[in-house]
């Protein structure tokens, strides 16, 4: 009942009292009856109610307004109450390959809890792995169920690529052939090129045409290139590889050296390959708005130990824990996809492996890590950054390695 309804109801009550009073003087002349009624206690009660009734009605109405949830005011009387859990949410269908591995295990709760796609996006998870990992996939699905994640709408576990890539919006390709002792690099490339040719074909045949693809498995740059070549119906700009882990490592090393929180460091760049030839560049970065080189004031460190530490950080973690850097890799995937889908912060750029368009002298057709800015689901290479002689030399070295990888990969199919 609204405020107006309560007001008029109180007026109606007063007039009902008057009518009842007059009825008791039925058969008496009007003036004589009115004089008798004016001297009665019922008349005084009616006047009191007439004075305070509307006030009470309005007060109650305002009280009800202040204590009733806002969404109930817009609800029509004929509608049933709407549960908050029924509010519409976007649904994203995402495939994670190699899901039963360490990175997949660390990544899955980040996806399920909304840290990748946001708190208002539900997810349908397609967990893909090879057939002999079926038991591990089942255990992962059981843990997802036990996590009772409100945003998880459905979980599919499979070893079939057609099922895994069916209608997906996002593909995070973690699974690949790992490098084993005594294996030459060309053998590693040969094994993974075959895997990513098949996955590219599966994406082309079964995924949505605007699917966003992130390749994590090494050699990540070349794997992303091969996948894109065998998925011609999907835009090339929708393929990327993960160098955000290297980017985050560079941010962290700068923060440690400057003794500041890592959140104070912005705009470092990883150029090139996700390998030991990558070039972590601080020349365009800032600490609390001031140039990194000016704040740290140690070019010998920034051109030497800093670069080698970032380049070899993965090997150092394996040496220390006897396992790969799964937790930080999963976090980097989260950061990469979040920025891609939700946009980078104004004035900031991050590092992402993209298929080159010729920027900074890199041949079109290489998957090369660049500084990028993202918005509205698209990422653009940051243009116009000045490169000194040292930077050009470092970029040329990592480009050469990627050209060699590309040649070796293409030779597999000859």
């Amino acid at each position: 009942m609204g405020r107006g309804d309560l007001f008029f109801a109180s007026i109606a009550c007063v007039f009902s009292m008057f009518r009842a009073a007059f009825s008791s003087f039925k058969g008496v002349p009007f003036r004589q009856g009115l004089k008798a009624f004016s001297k009665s206690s019922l008349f005084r009660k009616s006047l009191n109610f007439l004075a305070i009734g509307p006030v009470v009605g309005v007060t109650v109405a305002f009280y009800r307004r202040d204590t009733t949830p806002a969404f109930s005011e817009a609800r029509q009387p004929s509608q049933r109450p709407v549960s908050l859990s029924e509010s519409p949410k976007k649904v994203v269908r995402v495939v994670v390959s190699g899901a039963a591995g360490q990175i997949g295990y660390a990544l899955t709760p980040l996806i399920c809890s909304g840290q990748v796609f946001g708190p208002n996006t539900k997810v349908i998870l397609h967990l893909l792995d090879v057939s002999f990992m079926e038991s591990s996939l089942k255990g992962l699905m059981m843990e997802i169920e036990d996590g009772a994640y409100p945003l998880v709408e459905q979980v599919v576990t499979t070893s079939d690529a057609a099922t895994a890539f069916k209608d997906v919006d996002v593909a995070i390709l973690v699974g690949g052939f790992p490098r084993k002792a005594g294996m030459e690099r060309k053998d590693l490339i040969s094994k993974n090129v075959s895997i990513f040719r098949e996955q590219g074909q599966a994406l082309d045949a079964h995924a949505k045409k605007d699917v966003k693809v992130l390749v994590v498995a090494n050699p990540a740059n070349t794997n992303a290139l091969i996948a894109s070549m065998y998925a011609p119906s999907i835009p090339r700009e929708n393929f990327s590889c993960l160098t955000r882990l290297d980017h985050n490592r560079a941010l962290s090393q700068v923060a440690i050296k400057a003794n500041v929180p890592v959140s104070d460091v912005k705009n470092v760049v990883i150029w090139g390959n996700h390998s030991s030839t990558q070039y972590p560049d601080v020349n365009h970065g800032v600490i609390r708005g001031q140039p990194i080189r000016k704040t740290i004031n140690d070019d010998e460190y920034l051109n030497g130990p800093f670069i080698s530490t970032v380049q070899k950080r993965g090997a150092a973690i394996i040496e220390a824990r006897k396992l790969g850097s799964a937790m930080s890799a999963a976090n980097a995937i989260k950061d990469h996809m979040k920025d891609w889908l939700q946009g980078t912060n104004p004035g900031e750029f991050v590092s992402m492996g993209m298929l080159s368009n010729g920027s900074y002298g890199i041949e079109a057709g290489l998957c090369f890590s660049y500084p990028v800015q993202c918005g509205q689901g698209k990422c653009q290479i940051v243009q116009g950054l000045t490169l000194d002689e040292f930077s050009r030399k470092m970029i040329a070295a990592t480009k050469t390695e990627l050209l060699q990888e590309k040649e070796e990969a293409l030779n597999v199919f000859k």
Side-chain angles (χ1 to χ4, degrees):
M1 180 179 290
R3 295 190 298 272
D5 295 334
L6 286 171
F7 179 86
F8 287 110
S10 64
I11 297 296
C13 289
V14 171
F15 281 103
S16 295
M17 293 173 67
F18 270 102
R19 191 172 71 173
F22 274 111
S23 66
S24 64
F25 296 99
K26 188 174 181 180
V28 179
F30 176 76
R31 291 187 177 183
Q32 184 178 348
L34 180 62
K35 183 177 180 180
F37 172 65
S38 65
K39 296 180 179 180
S40 69
S41 60
L42 184 61
F43 176 73
R44 289 193 297 273
K45 291 180 179 179
S46 299
L47 289 179
N48 288 339
F49 190 87
L50 182 63
I52 68 172
V55 176
V56 171
V58 172
T59 302
V60 169
F62 273 94
Y63 176 77
R64 286 178 58 82
R65 180 199 66 177
D66 291 339
T67 58
T68 303
F71 63 79
S72 69
E73 289 193 1
R75 189 171 65 237
Q76 297 299 320
S78 61
Q79 294 177 330
R80 66 179 177 83
V82 178
S83 167
L84 291 178
S85 63
E86 296 176 332
S87 59
K89 291 180 183 290
K90 180 181 178 182
V91 179
V92 169
R93 192 178 294 268
V94 53
V95 59
V96 178
S97 74
Q102 286 191 79
I103 295 176
Y105 187 81
L107 173 64
T108 300
L110 301 181
I111 295 174
C112 294
S113 60
Q115 295 184 58
V116 177
F117 300 108
N120 295 315
T121 301
K122 289 196 170 186
V123 293
I124 298 175
L125 270 173
H126 292 200
L127 303 177
L128 171 67
D129 218 313
V130 292
S131 56
F132 64 82
M133 298 296 290
E134 180 181 357
S135 179
S136 295
L137 274 183
K138 182 179 179 181
L140 178 58
M141 184 172 70
M142 292 166 67
E143 289 216 61
I144 294 171
E145 292 171 348
D146 293 350
Y149 297 101
L151 295 176
V152 176
E153 189 164 285
Q154 183 183 2
V155 180
V156 176
T157 62
T158 184
S159 59
D160 177 63
T163 302
F165 291 107
K166 179 67 174 174
D167 294 332
V168 295
D169 303 286
V170 174
I172 302 174
L173 307 183
V174 179
F177 195 92
R179 189 166 190 169
K180 298 182 178 180
M183 179 181 286
E184 295 184 10
R185 191 173 67 122
K186 66 178 182 180
D187 296 327
L188 177 66
I189 291 173
S190 176
K191 290 283 189 182
N192 281 287
V193 159
S194 298
I195 292 171
F196 281 87
R197 174 178 62 178
E198 294 175 3
Q199 295 198 344
Q201 292 169 336
L203 283 164
D204 197 58
H206 303 291
K208 292 181 179 177
K209 297 310 175 186
D210 60 351
V211 62
K212 289 178 169 52
V213 184
L214 170 59
V215 176
V216 179
N218 288 318
N221 298 61
T222 300
N223 288 343
L225 172 62
I226 296 302
S228 71
M229 290 173 59
Y230 285 89
S233 67
I234 298 171
R236 290 171 62 81
E237 60 267 24
N238 285 24
F239 286 85
S240 65
C241 80
L242 186 71
T243 57
R244 185 57 175 269
L245 177 55
D246 308 303
H247 180 96
N248 287 351
R249 287 166 172 168
L251 291 174
S252 178
Q253 292 302 310
V254 169
I256 292 169
K257 183 69 174 179
N259 194 28
V260 298
V262 71
S263 58
D264 288 345
V265 185
K266 314 290 184 186
N267 294 355
V268 301
V269 182
I270 302 296
W271 300 93
N273 200 3
H274 175 59
S275 73
S276 60
T277 68
Q278 66 180 263
Y279 172 42
D281 178 9
V282 300
N283 290 328
H284 315 284
V286 295
I287 301 173
R288 296 175 179 169
Q290 296 299 312
I292 289 174
R293 287 196 179 272
K294 179 180 178 181
T295 302
I296 291 181
N297 194 27
D298 189 346
D299 287 346
E300 183 178 353
Y301 166 76
L302 292 173
N303 292 340
F306 163 73
I307 292 175
S308 61
T309 296
V310 176
Q311 289 174 333
K312 301 174 182 178
R313 186 69 166 183
I317 290 172
I318 292 174
E319 177 66 25
R321 69 186 296 262
K322 312 307 177 189
L323 292 169
S325 45
M327 181 179 69
S328 55
N331 187 67
I333 293 169
K334 178 261 294 180
D335 291 343
H336 179 114
M337 291 308 307
K338 183 178 179 181
D339 283 343
W340 193 354
L341 295 168
Q342 301 180 38
T344 49
N345 293 325
E348 296 181 20
F349 46 81
V350 296
S351 302
M352 186 181 294
M354 304 284 291
L355 292 173
S356 175
N357 59 5
S359 295
Y360 296 97
I362 305 303
E363 288 83 346
L366 281 184
C367 185
F368 200 86
S369 182
Y370 283 107
V372 301
Q373 291 178 318
C374 305
Q376 298 182 335
K378 296 183 181 295
C379 293
Q380 300 290 332
I381 298 171
V382 176
Q383 301 293 336
L385 299 183
T386 302
L387 301 176
D388 60 19
E389 183 178 353
F390 179 81
S391 296
R392 289 194 296 271
K393 180 180 177 181
M394 296 294 292
I395 290 172
T398 193
K399 179 182 76 170
T400 297
E401 183 183 52
L402 280 171
L403 288 169
Q404 292 172 348
E405 284 189 11
K406 179 182 177 182
E407 182 180 0
E408 291 172 2
L410 296 179
N411 285 337
V412 172
F413 306 128
K414 289 183 178 179

